[in-house]
Amino acid sequence: MSSANVTANLSRDETAERAAHITVHSIRVELDLSGAPERARTGFPTVTTLSFDATATETWIDFIGESVSRVVVNGEEQDVRWDGARISIEGLAAQNEVRVEAVAAYSRSGEGMHRFHDPVDGETYLYTQYEPADARRVMACFEQPDMKAAYTFDVSAPAGWHVLSNQSAARVHEGIGVQRIEFAPTLPISSYITAVAAGPYARIDGEWSRDGQHIDLGVLCRASLAEHLEADEILEVTRQGLDLFSDAFAYPYPWRKYDQIFVPEYNLGAMENPGLVTFTEAYINRGAATDAQRGGRANTILHEMAHMWFGDLVTMRWWDDLWLKESFADYMGSHASAAATRFTDAWARFANSRKAWAYRQDQLPTTHPIVADIPDLEAAKLNFDGITYAKGAAVLKQLVAFVGEDAFFEGARRYFAAHAFGNTTLDDLLDKLGEVSGQDLRAWSRAWLETSGVSALRLETDADGRRFLVQDGGAAGPRPHRLRIGLYDLDGGRLALRERIELGIDEERTEVEIPDADLTLLNDDDLTYAKARLDERSLTAVEESLSTLEDDLVRGLVWSSLWNATRDGELAAIRYLEIVRRHAPAESNVALLTTVLVNAAFAVRHYVADDARDEQGRAWVDAAWSALQSADAGSDAQLAWARAFAAASGFDAHHADAVRGILNGGAPRGLPVDADLRWLMLTALATTGDATVEEIIAERAADDTATGRTAEIRALASRPDAATRAAAWDSAWNDLTLSNDHLDATIGGFRAGGRRDLIAAFDGEYFDRIREVWGTRSIELAQRLVVGLFPATADTDLVDAWLEANSDAPGALRRLVIESRDDLAREIRVRAAQA
């Protein structure tokens, strides 16, 4: 049975029932990847042998692929009963060995075994990506995190390729044109963190040693990108992280080796497969890069490394407790960056950008507690969101403020010691933290982990001059906060810290003794998770002198407060943009600057009132051009402004001649006009109708790489004529050969420039298509279509009609539509408030 379109779901209840009757011990997986370079080949042989105990006579094994040819249970062949996702088996004994022979499919969607052909040198590269449930696209398995096993991979691949898995090779057999590698068995791990990669990757080796432990390190990428691989810095951050986590967790790194591989067309930032961490190639800089980009990469390296303990060593029982790994890894990524690497501004970056993701997610109607109710795998797939990652990390930072850093890390140590190689729930962690801190954390957990919504903090003064710190917790009610309040005074036009006041609150209104100040910054040091509002006096002070604040974190918190107020309709978008135009050119932290530039561009296109949008768009592109001219030659700020100018020029052609000049060699002194920046500039010209098809094709010929080909697709689809946009629309829905990256480029081109006049005619067809595409495409690709092509209509009537008529649609699909509707409704509401 072919299962190309199967997106089979699994529920929490049925997997719990299976785990109650099945105890898996070991799984051996034999993969024949020797035919991978043959482009006509669609699948590869996979043989899985599973050894397990059972207290039931029948169960199922998960597999999604092209075919299942043979199922053998305890030496007896059974009829193949496979529905495209589940293989039913019967006749089980107390101890069992089941062998499944099948053919799996190569992927172009980044799910399962992804196959990529490099246009630069014609080489083929493979890698796996499974979370939460795509291991079943490569092997027959028990696809749930609480059924851990020792995995042995036996892989045949073309001779000369690097072949990698979670463990090192135990035996290598060389043949004519083919090699067979048998890897050492893993320690007990879940199916979703097993991994295989194969191809002629370039490799840089390193090592890390400490207290008698020696770990081999490897950094790999495609051969055609090897010259851009900053392996020395990657290895340095890796060693710094291993030093810090070994001390912090008092549990030696458990996985024997540490390879990190950068792979093409990757759907995520990275994935924590023990011993073989995968990263997106976006972290490899083909040309110029800012220090903020390198800081982001370091943070991700350390995030994934924290998972070696939080998630891999100790794993949540089911996806309800996904936060047990992702929230901790997000917190640890920033903590370790600030404590162990040169990227000491990590918490400023977290406060200004990472938490913005959480605030947005937590205000959607689909928001959920950090400890979520995840009934099935489709819900789990969508729960890798701003709540689970960034809000969870922010709440952990509040927990550290609540119990103290020493108690927090000692609780983590006891948690690892008690549950190594096992599965846990919320209570297991709270027990260990409570042991150490001497506090019952159940009430804290109920307030922070088991409720949803973001609190807003503001300072109010009554008629008698008494001051109150007021928190609006919404449906969650008031929460306990440990926080600091910073008082800043204007002195000669500069804002300087006078003092910080520490306090705790747990009521809606708390009377506080806070002296007057020009800037009163609630939640200074960013200890808690809340939107901190600026009073009018503070707002006036930052309008005048925001860029004079010396501390990166303080400026990041102010920028964050301004943005939250803008998107909530409390601060006029035009006033926000005036602040950005005045102070962003002086912003010295490029990570903060980059986020502010993205937010400003979004405000122009989505929050400014309709009758002011053209004027504000012109003012924004003028401001970006002016800042680009005045930025220091060769600085990170110059590069950030160049990118912002290119993006703005796709919406306003006022500076088309300047864009053309940069492409023709007239760039400001010191600006590195590399291939990536050229594509940004050329795509802007294409979007406004100022670049020809021939120019775009010529640019791709000069950059005939995977990145160049993807950029060409977007630029061609961005041209502002109805036929081009119609062709992009048709391709996005109907061209099943598009990879995940090429689909994104096609969608981006279709929406380029916000040209509703070219695409509004497709609004009705969108709602006719989305339910079918959800049932026929993989969830990864379907999600891109549903979110990426959601129509920015003038009202929500079409969306509401679809939701009413499709109350029985899959919950995950409805969630995506509801979230997109809420974003649209917010834009309409905020624009109306401007008028």
Side-chain angles (χ1 to χ4, degrees):
M1 172 182 176
S2 174
S3 58
N5 293 329
V6 169
T7 54
N9 208 355
L10 289 170
S11 75
R12 174 179 54 206
D13 292 343
E14 63 184 343
T15 55
E17 177 71 13
R18 178 166 65 176
H21 295 288
I22 302 294
T23 303
V24 61
H25 298 297
S26 64
I27 297 179
R28 179 181 178 84
V29 183
E30 301 168 46
L31 305 175
D32 183 357
L33 308 177
S34 59
E38 302 167 16
R39 301 199 181 203
R41 186 163 187 163
T42 58
F44 58 94
T46 173
V47 178
T48 310
T49 304
L50 306 95
S51 299
F52 58 91
D53 298 339
T55 59
T57 58
E58 59 184 33
T59 191
W60 83 92
I61 297 172
D62 303 296
F63 179 72
I64 296 175
E66 293 190 355
S67 63
V68 177
S69 60
R70 194 163 179 247
V71 176
V72 180
V73 179
N74 297 326
E76 298 290 332
E77 190 158 347
Q78 293 190 356
D79 291 340
V80 174
R81 293 182 294 149
W82 177 56
D83 64 3
R86 305 182 186 203
I87 303 168
S88 298
I89 56 175
E90 57 187 14
L92 297 177
Q95 297 177 318
N96 303 275
E97 182 177 280
V98 176
R99 177 181 173 91
V100 177
E101 299 177 11
V103 175
Y106 289 112
S107 163
R108 291 306 311 283
S109 65
E111 300 157 295
M113 180 72 74
H114 190 85
R115 178 172 62 173
F116 174 84
H117 295 295
D118 190 340
V120 175
D121 54 19
E123 297 286 2
T124 300
Y125 294 88
L126 307 175
Y127 66 86
T128 58
Q129 170 56 36
Y130 296 151
E131 191 173 37
D134 285 319
R136 55 187 171 160
R137 296 181 184 273
V138 173
M139 60 186 177
C141 62
F142 297 111
E143 191 75 286
Q144 53 191 90
D146 60 339
M147 296 182 71
K148 290 187 170 184
Y151 284 85
T152 300
F153 287 92
D154 186 322
V155 182
S156 296
W161 278 16
H162 283 293
V163 184
L164 305 99
S165 188
N166 304 92
Q167 291 283 55
S168 299
R171 282 175 288 280
V172 179
H173 308 279
E174 298 284 356
I176 299 175
V178 177
Q179 57 178 327
R180 181 180 171 190
I181 300 95
E182 182 176 341
F183 294 91
T186 70
L187 294 165
I189 57 176
S190 305
S191 59
Y192 76 92
I193 50 174
T194 61
V196 170
Y201 289 97
R203 180 183 178 101
I204 303 295
D205 288 309
E207 63 179 12
W208 174 80
S209 297
R210 182 170 178 150
D211 298 332
Q213 185 181 25
H214 176 86
I215 302 296
D216 290 327
L217 310 178
V219 182
L220 300 94
C221 70
R222 285 188 288 134
S224 62
L225 287 175
E227 64 180 298
H228 307 297
L229 182 64
E230 296 173 324
D232 288 346
E233 179 166 277
I234 293 167
L235 288 169
E236 179 184 22
V237 171
T238 302
R239 295 186 187 102
Q240 290 167 332
L242 287 169
D243 282 341
L244 184 141
F245 289 136
S246 294
D247 285 341
F249 298 151
Y251 195 107
Y253 172 75
W255 307 110
R256 301 177 187 169
K257 73 178 181 77
Y258 203 95
D259 287 329
Q260 298 173 97
I261 186 167
F262 295 81
V263 296
E265 298 182 328
Y266 201 48
N267 290 327
L268 308 177
M271 181 64 204
E272 67 267 20
N273 315 305
L276 181 57
V277 183
T278 41
F279 294 85
T280 172
E281 287 181 346
Y283 287 125
I284 297 179
N285 306 305
R286 297 198 307 161
T290 66
D291 213 44
Q293 289 174 271
R294 295 187 174 93
R297 180 177 64 198
N299 191 294
T300 301
I301 289 170
L302 297 168
H303 173 117
E304 303 309 323
M305 187 180 293
H307 275 309
M308 300 297 126
W309 290 266
F310 281 110
D312 295 356
L313 178 66
V314 182
T315 312
M316 69 274 154
R317 184 172 299 162
W318 178 250
W319 301 102
D320 307 64
D321 283 309
L322 176 62
W323 77 282
L324 277 174
K325 71 185 190 76
E326 295 302 348
S327 298
F328 278 86
D330 224 42
Y331 173 83
M332 291 296 172
S334 293
H335 172 81
S337 291
T341 78
R342 68 183 180 88
F343 302 105
T344 55
D345 66 339
W347 283 119
R349 286 187 276 115
F350 179 85
N352 191 47
S353 59
R354 198 70 173 171
K355 283 178 79 172
W357 181 27
Y359 293 142
R360 180 257 175 188
Q361 192 86 44
D362 212 8
Q363 294 175 89
L364 292 170
T366 55
T367 189
H368 56 84
I370 295 171
V371 180
D373 177 29
I374 304 297
D376 55 36
L377 287 178
E378 285 196 355
K381 178 72 173 178
L382 298 190
N383 228 46
F384 291 80
D385 61 14
I387 304 295
T388 303
Y389 284 74
K391 179 181 179 179
V395 167
L396 288 177
K397 194 175 184 186
Q398 172 65 185
L399 177 61
V400 171
F402 190 72
V403 302
E405 188 170 292
D406 290 343
F408 177 79
F409 279 102
E410 178 58 28
R413 295 181 192 114
R414 296 188 185 188
Y415 176 71
F416 296 135
H419 301 290
F421 304 105
N423 296 86
T424 58
T425 64
L426 166 65
D427 285 343
D428 296 311
L429 179 66
L430 294 180
D431 285 345
K432 296 306 174 187
L433 290 172
E435 280 179 16
V436 177
S437 67
Q439 301 184 61
D440 182 359
L441 295 176
R442 291 320 192 269
W444 182 91
S445 172
R446 286 191 296 272
W448 281 110
L449 302 178
E450 299 167 54
T451 62
S452 61
V454 55
S455 301
L457 303 177
R458 67 177 74 243
L459 197 60
E460 293 183 357
T461 305
D462 69 8
D464 298 323
R466 295 183 304 169
R467 309 195 84 181
F468 295 86
L469 188 56
V470 180
Q471 65 161 313
D472 177 5
R479 293 181 171 118
H481 297 268
R482 301 284 175 90
L483 71 158
R484 296 189 180 109
I485 297 177
L487 304 179
Y488 296 80
D489 296 324
L490 278 169
D491 182 7
R494 302 185 65 84
L495 281 165
L497 176 67
R498 182 204 311 165
E499 65 174 315
R500 288 190 175 103
I501 299 170
E502 296 196 21
L503 70 160
I505 62 170
D506 56 14
E507 302 292 338
E508 259 184 56
R509 293 175 63 84
T510 304
E511 188 170 359
V512 291
E513 302 245 350
I514 298 177
D516 285 339
D518 292 311
L519 166 61
T520 303
L521 185 59
L522 308 181
N523 195 28
D524 204 347
D525 279 349
D526 199 33
L527 297 184
T528 194
Y529 172 76
K531 294 185 295 184
R533 300 302 196 196
L534 297 173
D535 59 55
E536 187 58 36
R537 181 177 176 183
S538 298
L539 181 57
T540 300
V542 299
E543 275 183 312
E544 190 69 26
S545 302
L546 189 162
S547 53
T548 69
L549 289 162
E550 292 185 359
D551 188 277
D552 289 350
L553 177 57
V554 173
R555 292 197 312 282
L557 290 169
V558 172
W559 282 123
S560 174
S561 180
L562 294 170
W563 177 240
N564 283 326
T566 302
R567 70 183 305 272
D568 287 348
E570 294 194 12
L571 177 66
I574 290 177
R575 191 177 183 187
Y576 171 76
L577 289 166
E578 288 171 348
I579 296 171
V580 173
R581 290 194 295 266
R582 180 168 188 171
H583 292 289
E587 177 52 65
S588 58
N589 184 292
V590 73
L592 301 185
L593 174 62
T594 301
T595 301
V596 169
L597 297 182
V598 170
N599 289 345
F602 191 91
V604 169
R605 296 194 292 271
H606 297 275
Y607 294 151
V608 170
D610 295 342
D611 59 2
R613 188 171 303 115
D614 288 346
E615 177 187 353
Q616 288 297 314
R618 178 66 53 84
W620 177 238
V621 74
D622 285 347
W625 175 245
S626 176
L628 171 58
Q629 301 304 303
S630 61
D632 291 341
S635 66
D636 282 357
Q638 183 188 48
L639 182 57
W641 280 109
R643 291 167 176 170
F645 172 65
S649 295
F651 289 84
D652 187 303
H654 180 54
H655 286 286
D657 288 343
V659 176
R660 175 73 63 188
I662 291 173
L663 285 172
N664 290 339
R669 184 176 63 85
L671 178 66
V673 186
D674 53 36
D676 291 338
L677 186 57
R678 287 187 62 84
W679 276 117
L680 289 176
M681 297 288 178
L682 184 61
T683 303
L685 292 178
T687 302
T688 57
D690 294 299
T692 66
V693 171
E694 291 73 22
E695 286 181 280
I696 296 168
I697 293 173
E699 192 71 27
R700 196 268 297 158
D703 181 28
D704 195 12
T705 63
T707 303
R709 292 189 178 193
T710 302
E712 178 190 38
I713 291 171
R714 177 164 187 153
L716 288 172
S718 297
R719 291 170 294 140
D721 63 82
T724 295
R725 300 301 176 92
W729 173 267
D730 181 71
S731 179
W733 293 106
N734 299 321
D735 186 352
L736 303 184
T737 68
L738 291 177
S739 71
N740 45 5
D741 280 5
H742 290 178
L743 178 60
D744 277 348
T746 303
I747 292 170
F750 175 78
R751 301 193 66 154
R755 292 291 301 271
R756 288 287 298 158
D757 57 316
L758 297 175
I759 64 176
F762 297 101
D763 291 355
E765 186 180 342
Y766 168 89
F767 291 103
D768 292 338
R769 283 182 173 271
I770 56 175
R771 188 153 183 180
E772 178 188 2
V773 81
W774 193 263
T776 57
R777 304 285 287 273
S778 74
I779 192 171
E780 187 67 47
L781 297 182
Q783 183 174 343
R784 291 166 192 251
L785 290 163
V786 172
V787 175
L789 293 174
F790 184 86
T793 55
D795 55 48
T796 62
D797 291 351
L798 281 174
V799 198
D800 295 337
W802 185 90
L803 287 168
E804 184 176 354
N806 290 271
S807 59
D808 61 337
L813 172 58
R814 284 182 57 84
R815 172 177 169 171
L816 293 177
V817 175
I818 290 168
E819 291 180 349
S820 296
R821 182 211 181 277
D822 192 73
D823 286 337
L824 175 62
R826 176 182 291 269
E827 293 173 17
I828 295 169
R829 184 171 65 250
V830 172
R831 287 198 298 269
Q834 312 303 307

